[in-house]
Amino acid sequence: MLDINTIVTNPEVLKEMIEKRGLESAKIVDELHDIINRKRKLQKEADTLRAERNRVSKEIGILKSKKEDASELMNSMRHVGDKIKEIQEHLEVEERRMVDLNLSLPNLLQEDVPLGKSEKENVTIRTYGEKPKFDFKPMPHFEIGEKLGILDFERGIKIAGSRAYTYRGLAASLERALMNFMMDANTREFGYEETWVPMVVNDDSMTTTGQYPKFKDEYYRIDKDHLNLIPTAEVPLTNLYRDEIIPEANLPIHVTAFTSCFRREAGAHGKDTRGLIRVHQFQKIELVKFCKPEDSEKEHHAMLDNVEQLLQRLGLHYKVLLLCSGDTSGSSSKTYDLEVWMPGLGRYLEISSVSNFLDFQARRGKIRYKGSDKKNHLVHTINGSGLALGRAMAAILENYQTEDGKFAIPECLQKYMP
């Protein structure tokens, strides 16, 4: 959600940003501008009528105190009261429409976000390590896992349908080792507070982080209870402070959580139908920060560094991309993607996104802090995957595979294995 003042004072800048994102919703800005002007006129009319009612009420009081007839003035005020009520009803309709339209607008992009229409125009910032070399043709992770009997897709599909899976033996232990390794680094070294959060959330929570209302059909919803399965722990973690005012001394706040995540994968028909890449349920460790606006750029890069350290310790070759305007999510002002090399698939695979939302989510969720000036200010929120465990496992299987169809365990995980 954007600041209404931005829409009023800089409509053309906002339209330009929407066009950079490759969206066709610039007309919404004009409609919002019209609504705001109508609201101002209605509010002015209502204020004038209230002032008139207050003035006449005093006259009525004076007449009554003198035992004089005030019926004519009282009848005229009934008409004024009805008019004020009518205007108020119109104002409420305009307010709801304004909020709905504002919720459909994307976040403002930061100035250094490159212009582009699709992922093809994302900019590589840096790379780490080199692609592993094999004396044999590397297999994709799902073939390795199936041959070793540790990835069981057939039984997963039997239990839950398409894009489901089960881990057996070594794979189950490896995901648990990955979780412990990452959570230990996040909490003991990087300064995040370990947090346990619900894996179902209400609609207000989904609205705060930007999933609702625009993308409501993309997530699993329990209509009877008005609850939703979380697509990422970003949702409950960010909503920890919804409708709260945080003491300035408590900032920045860094939290992390390990959860299952649930996505319908709408629009992914025919894409990565085998393996652990696009599934309906997966486990992920999420990182979320709340900070003052002047610190958000620094905190964004610090989180990116945290995620890179995890990949480096796992010994995985990866690259960091700055997403272009057309590939940046609507809620984000700037996003870095980390893509790990998958020798079996023969391509890079996104394994983490680290995004700065500025005050976009905070405005939706009314997440504020009390500044030294005794005023309430919106915080900035930042989040990233640290990491998606299924994709991390797939990367290990492919990058550490051996000619005999097995794979090695990265040194940093060995102490966590049974």
Side-chain angles (χ1 to χ4, degrees):
M1 181 179 285
L2 300 178
D3 184 0
I4 291 298
N5 290 329
T6 300
I7 299 170
V8 173
T9 58
N10 296 300
E12 297 307 317
V13 172
L14 189 54
K15 288 180 183 179
E16 183 181 351
M17 180 275 293
I18 292 172
E19 290 175 2
K20 284 181 178 179
R21 286 182 174 274
L23 304 175
E24 298 180 357
S25 54
K27 63 181 181 180
I28 293 177
V29 180
D30 291 331
E31 186 175 351
L32 268 169
H33 206 270
D34 291 341
I35 289 173
I36 292 166
N37 287 333
R38 289 199 299 270
K39 280 189 62 188
R40 286 177 172 175
K41 290 179 181 178
L42 287 168
Q43 190 63 57
K44 184 177 180 180
E45 185 179 355
D47 290 343
T48 300
L49 289 172
R50 287 192 182 96
E52 175 67 11
R53 183 171 63 181
N54 291 338
R55 184 187 65 79
V56 174
S57 294
K58 290 179 181 179
E59 290 185 20
I60 292 171
I62 293 171
L63 289 173
K64 285 185 175 181
S65 68
K66 294 179 179 180
K67 308 285 188 193
E68 296 181 12
D69 183 20
S71 57
E72 186 175 343
L73 287 177
M74 291 172 68
N75 288 333
S76 69
M77 284 304 97
R78 290 191 186 96
H79 170 72
V80 170
D82 291 340
K83 184 63 176 176
I84 292 173
K85 182 180 178 182
E86 180 184 332
I87 293 173
Q88 193 60 45
E89 289 173 352
H90 286 164
L91 277 170
E92 290 173 1
V93 171
E94 297 284 16
E95 177 70 22
R96 286 194 295 270
R97 179 59 179 161
M98 183 182 73
V99 170
D100 288 343
L101 288 174
N102 199 354
L103 286 172
S104 71
L105 288 174
N107 198 358
L108 296 170
L109 294 167
Q110 295 189 39
E111 291 183 0
D112 57 341
V113 172
L115 181 64
K117 295 181 179 180
S118 70
E119 60 183 19
K120 294 179 181 179
E121 294 164 282
N122 294 337
V123 177
T124 299
I125 301 299
R126 58 181 167 271
T127 61
Y128 172 84
E130 297 181 354
K131 296 178 182 178
K133 297 179 180 178
F134 300 91
D135 295 328
F136 57 93
K137 183 180 179 181
M139 292 188 293
H141 65 280
F142 47 83
E143 288 186 11
I144 299 170
E146 286 176 326
K147 288 184 177 181
L148 292 175
I150 60 174
L151 297 181
D152 191 338
F153 297 101
E154 186 176 338
R155 286 187 174 91
I157 292 170
K158 178 177 70 174
I159 295 168
S162 64
R163 299 187 185 273
Y165 60 94
T166 59
Y167 292 147
R168 307 297 292 268
L170 182 60
S173 298
L174 180 55
E175 177 146 312
R176 180 157 50 90
L178 279 164
M179 185 269 287
N180 286 325
F181 156 67
M182 294 174 190
M183 288 299 288
D184 280 355
N186 291 337
T187 57
R188 298 177 183 178
E189 299 180 51
F190 304 154
Y192 295 85
E193 179 187 14
E194 185 169 358
T195 312
W196 186 255
V197 290
M199 279 177 262
V200 291
V201 295
N202 55 31
D203 291 351
D204 286 343
S205 296
M206 295 286 275
T207 300
T208 291
T209 46
Q211 282 79 18
Y212 284 1
K214 190 172 184 179
F215 303 106
K216 201 165 187 176
D217 292 337
E218 295 185 15
Y219 304 104
Y220 287 109
R221 177 174 168 78
I222 309 168
D223 287 321
K224 184 176 180 180
D225 301 305
H226 304 290
L227 293 172
N228 311 272
L229 297 180
I230 63 169
T232 163
E234 170 200 348
V235 180
L237 284 174
T238 303
N239 280 275
L240 286 171
Y241 294 96
R242 174 162 48 89
D243 295 320
E244 292 189 26
I245 300 172
I246 304 167
E248 184 176 19
N250 291 2
L251 295 175
I253 295 172
H254 301 170
V255 289
T256 183
F258 161 75
T259 66
S260 287
C261 305
F262 305 87
R263 298 183 185 176
R264 293 184 63 243
E265 285 296 334
H269 303 294
K271 298 178 182 177
D272 294 310
T273 54
R274 296 189 67 186
L276 300 172
I277 307 308
R278 291 185 180 272
V279 290
H280 292 310
Q281 177 186 348
F282 59 95
Q283 286 59 248
K284 182 159 66 80
I285 292 171
E286 196 73 7
L287 308 172
V288 169
K289 292 183 175 183
F290 305 85
C291 66
K292 293 190 289 186
E294 59 265 32
D295 296 330
S296 70
E297 184 72 5
K298 176 186 70 176
E299 294 286 357
H300 189 192
H301 284 277
M303 182 181 288
L304 177 61
D305 180 68
N306 296 154
V307 177
E308 287 194 65
Q309 286 191 52
L310 296 175
L311 290 171
Q312 291 170 14
R313 294 178 194 184
L314 288 170
L316 297 172
H317 164 60
Y318 67 87
K319 60 182 179 179
V320 180
L321 303 173
L322 175 57
L323 300 194
C324 71
S325 57
D327 200 33
T328 302
S329 76
S331 297
S332 175
S333 69
K334 183 166 71 173
T335 295
Y336 294 100
D337 269 7
L338 293 97
E339 295 187 351
V340 66
W341 174 247
M342 303 288 286
L345 297 177
R347 60 184 171 92
Y348 285 95
L349 174 71
E350 179 199 326
I351 197 168
S352 176
S353 284
V354 183
S355 300
N356 189 342
F357 300 95
L358 302 180
D359 60 11
F360 186 82
Q361 294 178 330
R363 179 170 282 106
R364 285 169 168 246
K366 297 179 181 178
I367 307 171
R368 296 150 291 169
Y369 73 96
K370 180 76 72 175
S372 56
D373 57 2
K374 307 301 180 184
K375 295 181 180 179
N376 296 332
H377 304 274
L378 293 169
V379 301
H380 281 195
T381 58
I382 302 157
N383 93 275
S385 307
L387 300 160
L389 298 183
R391 293 191 174 195
M393 182 188 299
I396 289 170
L397 265 62
E398 293 197 13
N399 282 274
Y400 283 87
Q401 62 182 292
T402 55
E403 192 170 6
D404 59 2
K406 298 180 181 179
F407 65 95
I409 303 293
E411 184 177 352
C412 65
L413 299 180
Q414 291 176 12
K415 68 177 182 180
Y416 296 104
M417 294 297 291

